[in-house]
Amino acid sequence: MQEMISEIKKLLNYPKDIAIISHRNPDGDALGSSLGLQLYLEKKGHVVKSIVPSSYPHTFHYLSKVDDVIISDEDKAIAEQVLMRADIIFCLDFNGLDRIDKIQHAVADSKAVKILIDHHLDPEPFVDYTISDTASSSTCELVFKFIADLGDEKLIDPKIGDCLMTGLITDTGSFKYGTRAETYEVAARLKRLGTDDYYVQDKIFNSMKEKQLRLLGHCLANRMEIMHEYRTGLIWLNKQDYKDFDIQRGDTEGIVNYLLMMPEIEIAAFITEQPTIVKISLRSKGDISVQEIASRHFRGGGHKNASGGGVYARLEDIIDKFKRVIPKYVNKQQHV
Ligand code: 5GP
Ligand code: MN
């Protein structure tokens, strides 16, 4: 690790063209880690562009330079040009090229030095340097450590801190899960460097639109099913719901977690009918691995307790499949 850091440090000794890329449907950790790293690298004199495949929830508008992020679905030629021209490509918060779908070839074909910083299970070997730690709460935690290991912790100003604090908060549900001692240490060090954690929490959690709250009500009242004997809950939305509630990207963020608020529920699923695919988001408590369920049955992956996938199929078929698959992973409860 030490050797890898000193090699990367050497690479960063002179100004470089750098691309930072993160995953489709970017969340707080994807955007926060990308922009935190971008702001830091710019301070060091590099020219940096961040790229994500698809658009991001409006919640994250407070992040510095988020408006400059290239969305490759909308500006494919520009994204490809940036990737081709880059001396270094940082791949953040994803573990395999399929997570950046249409621009994966531009990354694979680029002659740039590629550096992965990620905390997902089973990273694929498509890069030159891998900084992967599945025990880390978030990629933001790893980016903080990366900057500190380069000897530059003091360069983390409140703007960079807001970005990195964002991933710590969103990937742990406000420090409720996925934490380790280092997570709190990084949060403490960010706070000491001037990051206003209350500001970040307020931006993330008090940003709901009226239609989102109404949609949440609809999900809980009309779209929730509980499989009591398997301690599993699911919520689904069809295309008509998307129209009726004018659902945009990010509007459904966090809905899956409501199911876990019931103490007896150990697995939660949120299944949505998208224009071309059916998307499934899975969450679990304790030892049950939804990563296994997502990768074996729904062409996805992620973390043990938070995973997702997407399948070309009918909504009804995926709901049925989910109900058929679950008994293989949870022992039936006798007394319910
Ligand atoms: P979410 O349910 O919030 O979309 O995603 C939860 C986790 O599952 C994220 O960490 C994400 O990386 C992973 N994930 C979501 N969708 C997919 C997918 O289609 N493929 C893979 N491999 N991972 C996914
Ligand atoms: Mn993450």
Side-chain angles (χ1 to χ4, degrees), residues 6 33 83 92 149 179 181 186 192 283 290-291 301:
S6 53
S33 60
L83 289 166
L92 299 191
D149 286 347
T179 61
V186 169
R192 223 169 264 131
R283 301 290 185 271
V290 283
Q291 197 265 347

Side-chain angles (χ1 to χ4, degrees), residues 238-294:
N238 60 25
K239 278 186 183 159
Q240 193 59 47
D241 294 320
Y242 271 74
K243 270 200 201 115
D244 293 346
F245 287 86
D246 181 28
I247 302 173
Q248 313 289 325
R249 197 179 294 282
D251 288 349
T252 56
E253 204 66 44
I255 291 178
V256 63
N257 295 313
Y258 282 86
L259 292 159
L260 296 179
M261 288 181 167
M262 289 176 274
E264 66 276 18
I265 295 297
E266 292 177 6
I267 298 182
F270 182 60
I271 305 175
T272 55
E273 189 178 21
Q274 307 284 325
T276 52
I277 60 164
V278 173
K279 171 103 180 75
I280 184 163
S281 282
L282 294 165
R283 301 290 185 271
S284 63
K285 289 178 188 159
D287 250 1
I288 298 170
S289 169
V290 283
Q291 197 265 347
E292 241 177 273
I293 301 178

Side-chain angles (χ1 to χ4, degrees), residues 23-25 27 29 93-96 98-99 118-120 171 253-254 256-257 270 277 279-283 290-291 294-295 298-303 305-311:
H23 60 79
R24 172 166 284 281
N25 298 331
D27 53 15
D29 194 31
D93 201 39
F94 67 98
N95 57 354
D98 66 328
R99 297 287 287 135
D118 180 48
H119 67 136
H120 292 86
D171 263 24
E253 204 66 44
V256 63
N257 295 313
F270 182 60
I277 60 164
K279 171 103 180 75
I280 184 163
S281 282
L282 294 165
R283 301 290 185 271
V290 283
Q291 197 265 347
S295 59
F298 300 104
R299 296 171 57 92
H303 313 276
N305 297 125
S307 278
V311 191

Side-chain angles (χ1 to χ4, degrees), residues 56-187:
Y56 48 84
H58 75 101
T59 308
F60 299 116
H61 273 117
Y62 66 92
L63 295 174
S64 298
K65 300 222 167 171
V66 75
D67 292 338
D68 297 345
V69 172
I70 298 164
I71 296 164
S72 58
D73 275 359
E74 293 163 21
D75 291 310
K76 187 154 180 264
I78 295 173
E80 283 174 349
Q81 204 177 35
V82 167
L83 289 166
M84 282 302 164
R85 223 190 286 157
D87 304 308
I88 301 172
I89 299 175
F90 280 93
C91 299
L92 299 191
D93 201 39
F94 67 98
N95 57 354
L97 284 174
D98 66 328
R99 297 287 287 135
I100 51 169
D101 41 35
K102 282 174 220 147
I103 42 167
Q104 60 180 281
H105 303 294
V107 173
D109 296 346
S110 168
K111 298 275 183 294
V113 176
K114 291 160 207 161
I115 303 170
L116 177 80
I117 306 180
D118 180 48
H119 67 136
H120 292 86
L121 296 165
D122 307 325
E124 287 172 11
F126 64 96
V127 295
D128 302 290
Y129 296 100
T130 299
I131 300 174
S132 163
D133 184 355
T134 57
S136 180
S137 69
S138 52
T139 299
C140 280
E141 185 179 320
L142 294 176
V143 167
F144 179 95
K145 285 184 65 188
F146 176 67
I147 297 173
D149 286 347
L150 290 172
D152 285 333
E153 183 170 335
K154 290 239 156 57
L155 292 185
I156 299 178
D157 58 37
K159 279 199 159 78
I160 299 174
D162 286 349
C163 296
L164 299 182
M165 188 66 90
T166 294
L168 286 188
I169 290 169
T170 55
D171 263 24
T172 63
S174 290
F175 303 97
K176 282 199 289 289
Y177 45 78
T179 61
R180 55 178 178 174
E182 284 93 324
T183 315
Y184 292 97
E185 276 161 18
V186 169

